[in-house]
Amino acid sequence: MNKGLLKSWKTDKGFGFIKSDTLEHDTFIHISALKHMSRKPKVGDTIYFEVAKQPDGKTKAINCRIEGVAELKAPYQKHNQQPHRMAKSNFASSFLGKVASISIIAVLGFVAVNKYNHYQSNEQFNSQTPVITNADLATFDEQYPKTVIPKNTQNFTCDGRQYCNEMRSREEAVFFINNCPNTKMDGDGDGDPCERDSRF
């Protein structure tokens, strides 16, 4: 790091020259090298700086600071990425963010509509459910007479059997044709099962 005195400064053009005891020639300084300082430079300021060589062979001051003046932020550093690339990648991430947001909103809307339709169908079903009144209870026994199952058949259960040769007794066959679906034991439909079975 070099130390020098600001020998000249052109405020209207934003540049000047630093005289240093350690360097042979005066060093060019541009205002961009001091952007992070809290004030603009004045002739006579002590400047700390590094020297960089420009493509034309001339030298310039970089990473500069003014002695006794507060810094606003870290010195400006040039980014390797070009601005149009950054904008393009920001656009891509912004576009993907928008697509993801729209997708989430669409899914939530779809779920909400399905829930609402399910709720409406349940409401319609509940409004069509009959209500039994006391008057209905008075005539219930007449409309639906009690079916008494003999005690000896109460241990019969519908277990998928359908034919007479699968039955153990006539009572079991009667129970099956009266209570179980898809039985094939009453061919003539008279309610008397297994009429040709000699076991019964």
Side-chain angles (χ1 to χ4, degrees):
M1 177 81 52
N2 297 301
K3 179 180 175 182
L5 215 59
L6 190 60
K7 177 179 161 184
S8 65
W9 184 257
K10 296 191 179 203
T11 305
D12 57 330
K13 297 191 177 183
F15 72 88
F17 289 92
I18 303 170
K19 171 116 179 105
S20 173
D21 294 335
T22 57
L23 298 173
E24 186 178 332
H25 299 288
D26 291 347
T27 307
F28 172 82
I29 181 170
H30 190 265
I31 189 68
S32 63
L34 296 167
K35 279 188 176 181
H36 60 284
M37 301 306 297
S38 61
R39 72 165 173 82
K40 292 184 180 180
K42 299 177 190 171
V43 173
D45 281 344
T46 301
I47 309 282
Y48 290 93
F49 63 99
E50 293 177 9
V51 178
K53 201 166 202 173
Q54 298 183 58
D56 61 2
K58 296 180 181 177
T59 59
K60 71 174 181 176
I62 60 168
N63 299 329
C64 304
R65 67 179 176 84
I66 303 170
E67 184 178 62
V69 177
E71 293 186 27
L72 295 176
K73 58 181 182 176
Y76 175 77
Q77 294 178 354
K78 189 174 179 181
H79 295 286
N80 291 336
Q81 294 182 347
Q82 296 175 357
H84 72 276
R85 286 186 184 172
M86 289 174 61
K88 189 174 182 181
S89 67
N90 286 344
F91 171 77
S93 65
S94 171
F95 177 74
L96 292 176
K98 287 177 184 176
V99 169
S101 299
I102 290 170
S103 300
I104 290 170
I105 290 170
V107 167
L108 290 175
F110 179 74
V111 169
V113 167
N114 280 343
K115 290 282 186 183
Y116 178 75
N117 288 340
H118 181 69
Y119 171 77
Q120 288 293 73
S121 66
N122 281 345
E123 284 296 311
Q124 290 174 355
F125 175 74
N126 290 340
S127 66
Q128 295 172 357
T129 303
V131 177
I132 298 174
T133 63
N134 287 339
D136 294 332
L137 290 175
T139 60
F140 185 79
D141 288 339
E142 296 170 8
Q143 291 177 352
Y144 304 100
K146 293 180 182 175
T147 306
V148 178
I149 299 172
K151 286 194 176 195
N152 61 349
T153 63
Q154 286 187 356
N155 56 357
F156 299 138
T157 57
C158 296
D159 55 8
R161 294 181 285 163
Q162 298 176 341
Y163 301 101
C164 291
N165 62 357
E166 297 171 324
M167 301 295 124
R168 293 185 206 100
S169 66
R170 181 175 282 302
E171 291 80 20
E172 188 177 33
V174 169
F175 173 82
F176 267 78
I177 66 165
N178 290 330
N179 299 301
C180 302
N182 301 324
T183 57
K184 298 179 179 34
M185 294 181 275
D186 188 14
D188 55 5
D190 64 352
D192 189 15
C194 305
E195 295 167 312
R196 296 185 188 151
D197 197 327
S198 60
R199 295 177 300 152
F200 309 128

PDB file of all heavy atoms in Angstrom, residues 167-180:
ATOM      1  N   MET A 167     -75.654 -78.506   1.709  1.00  0.00           N
ATOM      2  CA  MET A 167     -76.433 -78.301   2.937  1.00  0.00           C
ATOM      3  C   MET A 167     -76.380 -79.540   3.816  1.00  0.00           C
ATOM      4  O   MET A 167     -76.268 -80.657   3.335  1.00  0.00           O
ATOM      5  CB  MET A 167     -77.900 -77.989   2.609  1.00  0.00           C
ATOM      6  CG  MET A 167     -78.106 -76.745   1.752  1.00  0.00           C
ATOM      7  SD  MET A 167     -77.605 -75.269   2.599  1.00  0.00           S
ATOM      8  CE  MET A 167     -76.440 -74.601   1.454  1.00  0.00           C
ATOM      9  N   ARG A 168     -76.500 -79.334   5.151  1.00  0.00           N
ATOM     10  CA  ARG A 168     -76.492 -80.443   6.102  1.00  0.00           C
ATOM     11  C   ARG A 168     -77.910 -80.863   6.511  1.00  0.00           C
ATOM     12  O   ARG A 168     -78.104 -81.958   7.023  1.00  0.00           O
ATOM     13  CB  ARG A 168     -75.702 -80.036   7.351  1.00  0.00           C
ATOM     14  CG  ARG A 168     -74.218 -79.842   7.061  1.00  0.00           C
ATOM     15  CD  ARG A 168     -73.433 -79.558   8.337  1.00  0.00           C
ATOM     16  NE  ARG A 168     -72.236 -78.795   8.013  1.00  0.00           N
ATOM     17  CZ  ARG A 168     -72.103 -77.502   8.145  1.00  0.00           C
ATOM     18  NH1 ARG A 168     -73.060 -76.792   8.651  1.00  0.00           N
ATOM     19  NH2 ARG A 168     -70.990 -76.914   7.782  1.00  0.00           N
ATOM     20  N   SER A 169     -78.891 -79.955   6.335  1.00  0.00           N
ATOM     21  CA  SER A 169     -80.273 -80.278   6.721  1.00  0.00           C
ATOM     22  C   SER A 169     -81.235 -79.427   5.908  1.00  0.00           C
ATOM     23  O   SER A 169     -80.844 -78.443   5.283  1.00  0.00           O
ATOM     24  CB  SER A 169     -80.477 -80.011   8.216  1.00  0.00           C
ATOM     25  OG  SER A 169     -80.356 -78.623   8.476  1.00  0.00           O
ATOM     26  N   ARG A 170     -82.534 -79.808   5.937  1.00  0.00           N
ATOM     27  CA  ARG A 170     -83.567 -79.053   5.246  1.00  0.00           C
ATOM     28  C   ARG A 170     -83.701 -77.662   5.870  1.00  0.00           C
ATOM     29  O   ARG A 170     -83.891 -76.676   5.163  1.00  0.00           O
ATOM     30  CB  ARG A 170     -84.905 -79.784   5.282  1.00  0.00           C
ATOM     31  CG  ARG A 170     -85.998 -79.000   4.529  1.00  0.00           C
ATOM     32  CD  ARG A 170     -87.300 -79.720   4.422  1.00  0.00           C
ATOM     33  NE  ARG A 170     -87.419 -80.752   3.439  1.00  0.00           N
ATOM     34  CZ  ARG A 170     -87.231 -80.619   2.117  1.00  0.00           C
ATOM     35  NH1 ARG A 170     -86.822 -79.496   1.628  1.00  0.00           N
ATOM     36  NH2 ARG A 170     -87.417 -81.622   1.306  1.00  0.00           N
ATOM     37  N   GLU A 171     -83.593 -77.553   7.230  1.00  0.00           N
ATOM     38  CA  GLU A 171     -83.708 -76.262   7.917  1.00  0.00           C
ATOM     39  C   GLU A 171     -82.603 -75.301   7.441  1.00  0.00           C
ATOM     40  O   GLU A 171     -82.835 -74.107   7.251  1.00  0.00           O
ATOM     41  CB  GLU A 171     -83.625 -76.440   9.439  1.00  0.00           C
ATOM     42  CG  GLU A 171     -84.792 -77.141  10.060  1.00  0.00           C
ATOM     43  CD  GLU A 171     -84.717 -78.666   9.899  1.00  0.00           C
ATOM     44  OE1 GLU A 171     -83.596 -79.204   9.659  1.00  0.00           O
ATOM     45  OE2 GLU A 171     -85.780 -79.302   9.975  1.00  0.00           O
ATOM     46  N   GLU A 172     -81.408 -75.876   7.253  1.00  0.00           N
ATOM     47  CA  GLU A 172     -80.314 -75.037   6.778  1.00  0.00           C
ATOM     48  C   GLU A 172     -80.602 -74.543   5.371  1.00  0.00           C
ATOM     49  O   GLU A 172     -80.370 -73.388   5.041  1.00  0.00           O
ATOM     50  CB  GLU A 172     -78.995 -75.820   6.816  1.00  0.00           C
ATOM     51  CG  GLU A 172     -77.770 -74.965   6.525  1.00  0.00           C
ATOM     52  CD  GLU A 172     -76.471 -75.736   6.642  1.00  0.00           C
ATOM     53  OE1 GLU A 172     -76.448 -76.944   6.332  1.00  0.00           O
ATOM     54  OE2 GLU A 172     -75.472 -75.116   7.029  1.00  0.00           O
ATOM     55  N   ALA A 173     -81.156 -75.399   4.494  1.00  0.00           N
ATOM     56  CA  ALA A 173     -81.499 -75.017   3.126  1.00  0.00           C
ATOM     57  C   ALA A 173     -82.566 -73.929   3.125  1.00  0.00           C
ATOM     58  O   ALA A 173     -82.501 -72.970   2.345  1.00  0.00           O
ATOM     59  CB  ALA A 173     -81.966 -76.234   2.340  1.00  0.00           C
ATOM     60  N   VAL A 174     -83.601 -74.060   4.017  1.00  0.00           N
ATOM     61  CA  VAL A 174     -84.658 -73.040   4.113  1.00  0.00           C
ATOM     62  C   VAL A 174     -84.036 -71.701   4.546  1.00  0.00           C
ATOM     63  O   VAL A 174     -84.353 -70.641   4.013  1.00  0.00           O
ATOM     64  CB  VAL A 174     -85.773 -73.497   5.091  1.00  0.00           C
ATOM     65  CG1 VAL A 174     -86.728 -72.362   5.406  1.00  0.00           C
ATOM     66  CG2 VAL A 174     -86.520 -74.692   4.521  1.00  0.00           C
ATOM     67  N   PHE A 175     -83.177 -71.754   5.549  1.00  0.00           N
ATOM     68  CA  PHE A 175     -82.504 -70.536   6.007  1.00  0.00           C
ATOM     69  C   PHE A 175     -81.737 -69.874   4.848  1.00  0.00           C
ATOM     70  O   PHE A 175     -81.802 -68.664   4.648  1.00  0.00           O
ATOM     71  CB  PHE A 175     -81.532 -70.864   7.154  1.00  0.00           C
ATOM     72  CG  PHE A 175     -80.680 -69.681   7.566  1.00  0.00           C
ATOM     73  CD1 PHE A 175     -81.181 -68.718   8.433  1.00  0.00           C
ATOM     74  CD2 PHE A 175     -79.392 -69.533   7.069  1.00  0.00           C
ATOM     75  CE1 PHE A 175     -80.398 -67.641   8.806  1.00  0.00           C
ATOM     76  CE2 PHE A 175     -78.616 -68.452   7.433  1.00  0.00           C
ATOM     77  CZ  PHE A 175     -79.117 -67.499   8.304  1.00  0.00           C
ATOM     78  N   PHE A 176     -81.015 -70.690   4.055  1.00  0.00           N
ATOM     79  CA  PHE A 176     -80.203 -70.146   2.969  1.00  0.00           C
ATOM     80  C   PHE A 176     -81.049 -69.503   1.886  1.00  0.00           C
ATOM     81  O   PHE A 176     -80.697 -68.429   1.404  1.00  0.00           O
ATOM     82  CB  PHE A 176     -79.298 -71.231   2.366  1.00  0.00           C
ATOM     83  CG  PHE A 176     -77.922 -71.273   2.987  1.00  0.00           C
ATOM     84  CD1 PHE A 176     -77.712 -71.853   4.222  1.00  0.00           C
ATOM     85  CD2 PHE A 176     -76.835 -70.735   2.323  1.00  0.00           C
ATOM     86  CE1 PHE A 176     -76.453 -71.885   4.790  1.00  0.00           C
ATOM     87  CE2 PHE A 176     -75.570 -70.767   2.886  1.00  0.00           C
ATOM     88  CZ  PHE A 176     -75.367 -71.348   4.129  1.00  0.00           C
ATOM     89  N   ILE A 177     -82.163 -70.114   1.459  1.00  0.00           N
ATOM     90  CA  ILE A 177     -82.953 -69.501   0.375  1.00  0.00           C
ATOM     91  C   ILE A 177     -83.681 -68.252   0.863  1.00  0.00           C
ATOM     92  O   ILE A 177     -83.954 -67.350   0.077  1.00  0.00           O
ATOM     93  CB  ILE A 177     -83.937 -70.490  -0.290  1.00  0.00           C
ATOM     94  CG1 ILE A 177     -85.033 -70.928   0.663  1.00  0.00           C
ATOM     95  CG2 ILE A 177     -83.233 -71.645  -0.908  1.00  0.00           C
ATOM     96  CD1 ILE A 177     -86.199 -71.588  -0.049  1.00  0.00           C
ATOM     97  N   ASN A 178     -84.006 -68.172   2.174  1.00  0.00           N
ATOM     98  CA  ASN A 178     -84.700 -66.996   2.707  1.00  0.00           C
ATOM     99  C   ASN A 178     -83.737 -65.849   3.047  1.00  0.00           C
ATOM    100  O   ASN A 178     -84.154 -64.697   3.050  1.00  0.00           O
ATOM    101  CB  ASN A 178     -85.508 -67.349   3.955  1.00  0.00           C
ATOM    102  CG  ASN A 178     -86.714 -68.202   3.619  1.00  0.00           C
ATOM    103  OD1 ASN A 178     -87.267 -68.100   2.527  1.00  0.00           O
ATOM    104  ND2 ASN A 178     -87.105 -69.051   4.541  1.00  0.00           N
ATOM    105  N   ASN A 179     -82.478 -66.137   3.358  1.00  0.00           N
ATOM    106  CA  ASN A 179     -81.594 -65.104   3.899  1.00  0.00           C
ATOM    107  C   ASN A 179     -80.302 -64.863   3.111  1.00  0.00           C
ATOM    108  O   ASN A 179     -79.641 -63.859   3.347  1.00  0.00           O
ATOM    109  CB  ASN A 179     -81.197 -65.462   5.338  1.00  0.00           C
ATOM    110  CG  ASN A 179     -82.411 -65.531   6.232  1.00  0.00           C
ATOM    111  OD1 ASN A 179     -83.132 -64.562   6.367  1.00  0.00           O
ATOM    112  ND2 ASN A 179     -82.650 -66.689   6.812  1.00  0.00           N
ATOM    113  N   CYS A 180     -79.915 -65.751   2.226  1.00  0.00           N
ATOM    114  CA  CYS A 180     -78.620 -65.622   1.563  1.00  0.00           C
ATOM    115  C   CYS A 180     -78.815 -65.368   0.068  1.00  0.00           C
ATOM    116  O   CYS A 180     -79.702 -65.962  -0.560  1.00  0.00           O
ATOM    117  CB  CYS A 180     -77.783 -66.884   1.762  1.00  0.00           C
ATOM    118  SG  CYS A 180     -77.513 -67.266   3.500  1.00  0.00           S
TER     119      CYS A 180
END
